[in-house]
């Protein structure tokens, strides 16, 4: 696979990660399609393993998300900008502190932004609880189900 194709696959994956944060955009499907494109072009066993793992993870994610409460964006106390910053912090945190950094970055960014907006620790903490109950857990599950395949793809690229 050429360098330009790898850059294009990475761009599609980033588009899918951003799609997780934007309502109505199928972020998981976009990430899965990027992995499929890569696996069909680079027919190594590692590529097929990443594709199979991604498919299983996406199906498991759909099952887990059906068990979580539905997203209720109007009930979230935080504005949309706070949630976008939190999602970006979760994506960055995943690569800074592997795996657990996503949750730390997401929750930490919601808390920090809400503490600044509302002016205190108690109000920020209450807002984090409200956001996590209304949509936070669902977003984190979907974000992890997209970030893990991206991390596996990067690992497979570096390993081979």
């Amino acid at each position: 696979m050429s360098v330009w194709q790898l850059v294009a696959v990475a761009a599609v994956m980033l588009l899918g990660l951003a799609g997780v944060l934007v309502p109505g955009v199928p972020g998981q499907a976009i990430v899965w399609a990027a992995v499929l494109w890569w696996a069909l072009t680079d027919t190594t066993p590692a590529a097929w393993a990443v594709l199979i793992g991604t498919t299983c993870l996406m199906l498991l994610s759909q099952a887990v998300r059906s068990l979580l409460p539905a997203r209720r964006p109007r009930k979230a106390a935080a504005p949309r900008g706070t949630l976008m910053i939190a999602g970006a912090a979760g994506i960055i945190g995943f690569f800074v502190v592997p795996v657990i950094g996503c949750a730390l970055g997401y929750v930490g960014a919601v808390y920090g932004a809400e503490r600044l907006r509302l002016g205190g620790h108690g109000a920020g903490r209450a807002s984090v609880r409200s956001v996590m109950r209304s949509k936070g857990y669902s977003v984190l599950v979907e974000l992890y189900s997209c970030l893990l395949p991206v991390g596996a793809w990067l690992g497979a690229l570096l390993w081979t």
Side-chain angles (χ1 to χ4, degrees):
M1 187 170 218
S2 73
V3 172
W4 292 110
Q5 285 179 321
L6 289 174
V7 169
V9 168
V12 171
M13 286 184 178
L14 285 175
L15 179 68
L17 289 174
V20 170
L21 305 175
V22 177
V25 178
Q28 286 183 325
I30 293 171
V31 170
W32 183 83
V35 172
L36 176 68
W37 175 21
W38 171 66
L40 290 175
T41 308
D42 184 13
T43 57
T44 62
W48 286 102
V50 170
L51 177 63
I52 291 168
T54 298
T55 303
C56 293
L57 183 66
M58 297 285 178
L59 292 173
L60 180 67
S61 164
Q62 292 297 318
V64 168
R65 282 185 40 218
S66 69
L67 299 174
L68 293 173
R71 291 185 188 180
R72 298 180 305 269
R74 298 288 177 228
K75 289 198 165 201
R80 183 184 287 291
T82 297
L83 300 176
M84 296 300 261
I85 290 170
I91 292 170
I92 293 167
F94 180 82
F95 294 104
V96 172
V97 181
V99 183
I100 63 168
C102 178
L104 295 175
Y106 186 83
V107 174
V110 170
Y111 172 73
E114 288 301 288
R115 182 170 179 170
L116 286 175
R117 184 175 74 92
L118 299 173
H121 170 71
R125 191 169 159 205
S127 182
V128 167
R129 275 195 309 263
S130 172
V131 167
M132 293 307 289
R133 286 184 187 136
S134 67
K135 68 185 329 187
Y137 294 119
S138 180
V139 169
L140 275 178
V141 166
E142 191 172 351
L143 201 54
Y144 265 115
S145 70
C146 290
L147 281 169
L148 289 173
V150 171
W153 174 73
L154 282 174
L157 282 180
L158 295 174
W159 187 49
T160 57

PDB file of all heavy atoms in Angstrom, residues 64-83:
ATOM      1  N   VAL A  64     -23.770  -3.439  23.420  1.00  0.00           N
ATOM      2  CA  VAL A  64     -23.608  -2.734  24.700  1.00  0.00           C
ATOM      3  C   VAL A  64     -24.371  -1.412  24.675  1.00  0.00           C
ATOM      4  O   VAL A  64     -25.030  -1.052  25.659  1.00  0.00           O
ATOM      5  CB  VAL A  64     -22.114  -2.503  25.003  1.00  0.00           C
ATOM      6  CG1 VAL A  64     -21.920  -1.534  26.156  1.00  0.00           C
ATOM      7  CG2 VAL A  64     -21.436  -3.824  25.308  1.00  0.00           C
ATOM      8  N   ARG A  65     -24.324  -0.692  23.568  1.00  0.00           N
ATOM      9  CA  ARG A  65     -25.025   0.592  23.492  1.00  0.00           C
ATOM     10  C   ARG A  65     -26.530   0.425  23.581  1.00  0.00           C
ATOM     11  O   ARG A  65     -27.226   1.327  24.037  1.00  0.00           O
ATOM     12  CB  ARG A  65     -24.653   1.325  22.208  1.00  0.00           C
ATOM     13  CG  ARG A  65     -23.299   1.980  22.336  1.00  0.00           C
ATOM     14  CD  ARG A  65     -22.916   2.827  21.164  1.00  0.00           C
ATOM     15  NE  ARG A  65     -24.003   3.607  20.639  1.00  0.00           N
ATOM     16  CZ  ARG A  65     -24.179   3.825  19.348  1.00  0.00           C
ATOM     17  NH1 ARG A  65     -23.368   3.315  18.467  1.00  0.00           N
ATOM     18  NH2 ARG A  65     -25.178   4.553  18.934  1.00  0.00           N
ATOM     19  N   SER A  66     -27.041  -0.721  23.155  1.00  0.00           N
ATOM     20  CA  SER A  66     -28.490  -0.929  23.284  1.00  0.00           C
ATOM     21  C   SER A  66     -28.891  -1.139  24.740  1.00  0.00           C
ATOM     22  O   SER A  66     -30.046  -0.935  25.097  1.00  0.00           O
ATOM     23  CB  SER A  66     -28.933  -2.116  22.436  1.00  0.00           C
ATOM     24  OG  SER A  66     -28.437  -3.323  22.976  1.00  0.00           O
ATOM     25  N   LEU A  67     -27.949  -1.528  25.582  1.00  0.00           N
ATOM     26  CA  LEU A  67     -28.232  -1.708  27.005  1.00  0.00           C
ATOM     27  C   LEU A  67     -28.112  -0.410  27.793  1.00  0.00           C
ATOM     28  O   LEU A  67     -28.641  -0.307  28.897  1.00  0.00           O
ATOM     29  CB  LEU A  67     -27.281  -2.749  27.608  1.00  0.00           C
ATOM     30  CG  LEU A  67     -27.373  -4.159  27.013  1.00  0.00           C
ATOM     31  CD1 LEU A  67     -26.281  -5.035  27.604  1.00  0.00           C
ATOM     32  CD2 LEU A  67     -28.741  -4.753  27.250  1.00  0.00           C
ATOM     33  N   LEU A  68     -27.414   0.575  27.242  1.00  0.00           N
ATOM     34  CA  LEU A  68     -27.242   1.863  27.917  1.00  0.00           C
ATOM     35  C   LEU A  68     -28.464   2.738  27.690  1.00  0.00           C
ATOM     36  O   LEU A  68     -29.190   2.556  26.715  1.00  0.00           O
ATOM     37  CB  LEU A  68     -25.998   2.570  27.373  1.00  0.00           C
ATOM     38  CG  LEU A  68     -24.666   1.922  27.690  1.00  0.00           C
ATOM     39  CD1 LEU A  68     -23.557   2.642  26.941  1.00  0.00           C
ATOM     40  CD2 LEU A  68     -24.391   1.939  29.171  1.00  0.00           C
ATOM     41  N   PRO A  69     -28.684   3.712  28.576  1.00  0.00           N
ATOM     42  CA  PRO A  69     -29.795   4.635  28.335  1.00  0.00           C
ATOM     43  C   PRO A  69     -29.574   5.422  27.048  1.00  0.00           C
ATOM     44  O   PRO A  69     -28.442   5.683  26.653  1.00  0.00           O
ATOM     45  CB  PRO A  69     -29.765   5.573  29.542  1.00  0.00           C
ATOM     46  CG  PRO A  69     -28.699   5.111  30.432  1.00  0.00           C
ATOM     47  CD  PRO A  69     -27.972   3.984  29.797  1.00  0.00           C
ATOM     48  N   ALA A  70     -30.651   5.797  26.407  1.00  0.00           N
ATOM     49  CA  ALA A  70     -30.573   6.543  25.148  1.00  0.00           C
ATOM     50  C   ALA A  70     -29.957   7.916  25.392  1.00  0.00           C
ATOM     51  O   ALA A  70     -30.072   8.483  26.483  1.00  0.00           O
ATOM     52  CB  ALA A  70     -31.961   6.691  24.551  1.00  0.00           C
ATOM     53  N   ARG A  71     -29.336   8.452  24.357  1.00  0.00           N
ATOM     54  CA  ARG A  71     -28.773   9.796  24.466  1.00  0.00           C
ATOM     55  C   ARG A  71     -29.904  10.808  24.560  1.00  0.00           C
ATOM     56  O   ARG A  71     -30.860  10.763  23.801  1.00  0.00           O
ATOM     57  CB  ARG A  71     -27.938  10.125  23.233  1.00  0.00           C
ATOM     58  CG  ARG A  71     -26.678   9.345  23.135  1.00  0.00           C
ATOM     59  CD  ARG A  71     -25.893   9.854  21.954  1.00  0.00           C
ATOM     60  NE  ARG A  71     -24.737   9.007  21.711  1.00  0.00           N
ATOM     61  CZ  ARG A  71     -23.870   9.218  20.751  1.00  0.00           C
ATOM     62  NH1 ARG A  71     -24.017  10.237  19.940  1.00  0.00           N
ATOM     63  NH2 ARG A  71     -22.860   8.428  20.577  1.00  0.00           N
ATOM     64  N   ARG A  72     -29.767  11.696  25.524  1.00  0.00           N
ATOM     65  CA  ARG A  72     -30.763  12.757  25.700  1.00  0.00           C
ATOM     66  C   ARG A  72     -30.028  14.090  25.693  1.00  0.00           C
ATOM     67  O   ARG A  72     -29.711  14.635  26.749  1.00  0.00           O
ATOM     68  CB  ARG A  72     -31.506  12.550  27.011  1.00  0.00           C
ATOM     69  CG  ARG A  72     -32.282  11.253  27.057  1.00  0.00           C
ATOM     70  CD  ARG A  72     -33.008  11.086  28.366  1.00  0.00           C
ATOM     71  NE  ARG A  72     -32.170  11.174  29.540  1.00  0.00           N
ATOM     72  CZ  ARG A  72     -31.581  10.131  30.119  1.00  0.00           C
ATOM     73  NH1 ARG A  72     -31.725   8.935  29.646  1.00  0.00           N
ATOM     74  NH2 ARG A  72     -30.845  10.301  31.204  1.00  0.00           N
ATOM     75  N   PRO A  73     -29.750  14.642  24.508  1.00  0.00           N
ATOM     76  CA  PRO A  73     -28.924  15.847  24.454  1.00  0.00           C
ATOM     77  C   PRO A  73     -29.552  17.058  25.121  1.00  0.00           C
ATOM     78  O   PRO A  73     -28.856  17.921  25.613  1.00  0.00           O
ATOM     79  CB  PRO A  73     -28.725  16.083  22.956  1.00  0.00           C
ATOM     80  CG  PRO A  73     -29.747  15.277  22.265  1.00  0.00           C
ATOM     81  CD  PRO A  73     -30.156  14.171  23.208  1.00  0.00           C
ATOM     82  N   ARG A  74     -30.849  17.155  25.149  1.00  0.00           N
ATOM     83  CA  ARG A  74     -31.480  18.323  25.769  1.00  0.00           C
ATOM     84  C   ARG A  74     -31.372  18.282  27.284  1.00  0.00           C
ATOM     85  O   ARG A  74     -31.443  19.302  27.931  1.00  0.00           O
ATOM     86  CB  ARG A  74     -32.956  18.398  25.373  1.00  0.00           C
ATOM     87  CG  ARG A  74     -33.166  18.572  23.904  1.00  0.00           C
ATOM     88  CD  ARG A  74     -32.770  19.969  23.480  1.00  0.00           C
ATOM     89  NE  ARG A  74     -32.903  20.102  22.053  1.00  0.00           N
ATOM     90  CZ  ARG A  74     -31.985  20.607  21.276  1.00  0.00           C
ATOM     91  NH1 ARG A  74     -30.848  21.002  21.772  1.00  0.00           N
ATOM     92  NH2 ARG A  74     -32.182  20.713  19.985  1.00  0.00           N
ATOM     93  N   LYS A  75     -31.211  17.094  27.870  1.00  0.00           N
ATOM     94  CA  LYS A  75     -31.099  16.997  29.315  1.00  0.00           C
ATOM     95  C   LYS A  75     -29.681  17.255  29.809  1.00  0.00           C
ATOM     96  O   LYS A  75     -29.467  17.436  30.988  1.00  0.00           O
ATOM     97  CB  LYS A  75     -31.563  15.626  29.796  1.00  0.00           C
ATOM     98  CG  LYS A  75     -33.046  15.440  29.692  1.00  0.00           C
ATOM     99  CD  LYS A  75     -33.455  14.312  30.558  1.00  0.00           C
ATOM    100  CE  LYS A  75     -34.964  14.367  30.732  1.00  0.00           C
ATOM    101  NZ  LYS A  75     -35.380  13.648  31.886  1.00  0.00           N
ATOM    102  N   ALA A  76     -28.710  17.228  28.909  1.00  0.00           N
ATOM    103  CA  ALA A  76     -27.330  17.479  29.319  1.00  0.00           C
ATOM    104  C   ALA A  76     -27.184  18.935  29.734  1.00  0.00           C
ATOM    105  O   ALA A  76     -27.642  19.836  29.047  1.00  0.00           O
ATOM    106  CB  ALA A  76     -26.372  17.151  28.182  1.00  0.00           C
ATOM    107  N   ALA A  77     -26.528  19.150  30.860  1.00  0.00           N
ATOM    108  CA  ALA A  77     -26.374  20.502  31.372  1.00  0.00           C
ATOM    109  C   ALA A  77     -25.301  21.275  30.616  1.00  0.00           C
ATOM    110  O   ALA A  77     -25.290  22.490  30.635  1.00  0.00           O
ATOM    111  CB  ALA A  77     -26.026  20.457  32.854  1.00  0.00           C
ATOM    112  N   ALA A  78     -24.413  20.579  29.938  1.00  0.00           N
ATOM    113  CA  ALA A  78     -23.299  21.236  29.267  1.00  0.00           C
ATOM    114  C   ALA A  78     -23.674  21.663  27.848  1.00  0.00           C
ATOM    115  O   ALA A  78     -24.427  20.979  27.167  1.00  0.00           O
ATOM    116  CB  ALA A  78     -22.109  20.283  29.219  1.00  0.00           C
ATOM    117  N   PRO A  79     -23.124  22.784  27.389  1.00  0.00           N
ATOM    118  CA  PRO A  79     -23.362  23.185  25.999  1.00  0.00           C
ATOM    119  C   PRO A  79     -22.607  22.287  25.015  1.00  0.00           C
ATOM    120  O   PRO A  79     -21.689  21.563  25.397  1.00  0.00           O
ATOM    121  CB  PRO A  79     -22.827  24.618  25.951  1.00  0.00           C
ATOM    122  CG  PRO A  79     -21.914  24.754  27.102  1.00  0.00           C
ATOM    123  CD  PRO A  79     -22.374  23.772  28.138  1.00  0.00           C
ATOM    124  N   ARG A  80     -22.995  22.352  23.760  1.00  0.00           N
ATOM    125  CA  ARG A  80     -22.404  21.493  22.732  1.00  0.00           C
ATOM    126  C   ARG A  80     -20.889  21.687  22.613  1.00  0.00           C
ATOM    127  O   ARG A  80     -20.147  20.748  22.395  1.00  0.00           O
ATOM    128  CB  ARG A  80     -23.066  21.750  21.389  1.00  0.00           C
ATOM    129  CG  ARG A  80     -22.541  20.832  20.297  1.00  0.00           C
ATOM    130  CD  ARG A  80     -23.111  21.117  18.934  1.00  0.00           C
ATOM    131  NE  ARG A  80     -24.463  20.733  18.697  1.00  0.00           N
ATOM    132  CZ  ARG A  80     -24.913  19.480  18.607  1.00  0.00           C
ATOM    133  NH1 ARG A  80     -24.091  18.494  18.833  1.00  0.00           N
ATOM    134  NH2 ARG A  80     -26.157  19.222  18.326  1.00  0.00           N
ATOM    135  N   GLY A  81     -20.414  22.907  22.766  1.00  0.00           N
ATOM    136  CA  GLY A  81     -18.981  23.183  22.676  1.00  0.00           C
ATOM    137  C   GLY A  81     -18.186  22.426  23.725  1.00  0.00           C
ATOM    138  O   GLY A  81     -17.090  21.924  23.450  1.00  0.00           O
ATOM    139  N   THR A  82     -18.728  22.343  24.929  1.00  0.00           N
ATOM    140  CA  THR A  82     -18.065  21.592  25.991  1.00  0.00           C
ATOM    141  C   THR A  82     -17.952  20.124  25.621  1.00  0.00           C
ATOM    142  O   THR A  82     -16.917  19.494  25.835  1.00  0.00           O
ATOM    143  CB  THR A  82     -18.848  21.745  27.311  1.00  0.00           C
ATOM    144  OG1 THR A  82     -18.840  23.117  27.691  1.00  0.00           O
ATOM    145  CG2 THR A  82     -18.238  20.917  28.412  1.00  0.00           C
ATOM    146  N   LEU A  83     -19.012  19.586  25.036  1.00  0.00           N
ATOM    147  CA  LEU A  83     -19.001  18.171  24.661  1.00  0.00           C
ATOM    148  C   LEU A  83     -18.039  17.906  23.514  1.00  0.00           C
ATOM    149  O   LEU A  83     -17.403  16.850  23.466  1.00  0.00           O
ATOM    150  CB  LEU A  83     -20.413  17.717  24.313  1.00  0.00           C
ATOM    151  CG  LEU A  83     -21.425  17.856  25.452  1.00  0.00           C
ATOM    152  CD1 LEU A  83     -22.811  17.481  24.969  1.00  0.00           C
ATOM    153  CD2 LEU A  83     -21.018  17.018  26.640  1.00  0.00           C
TER     154      LEU A  83
END
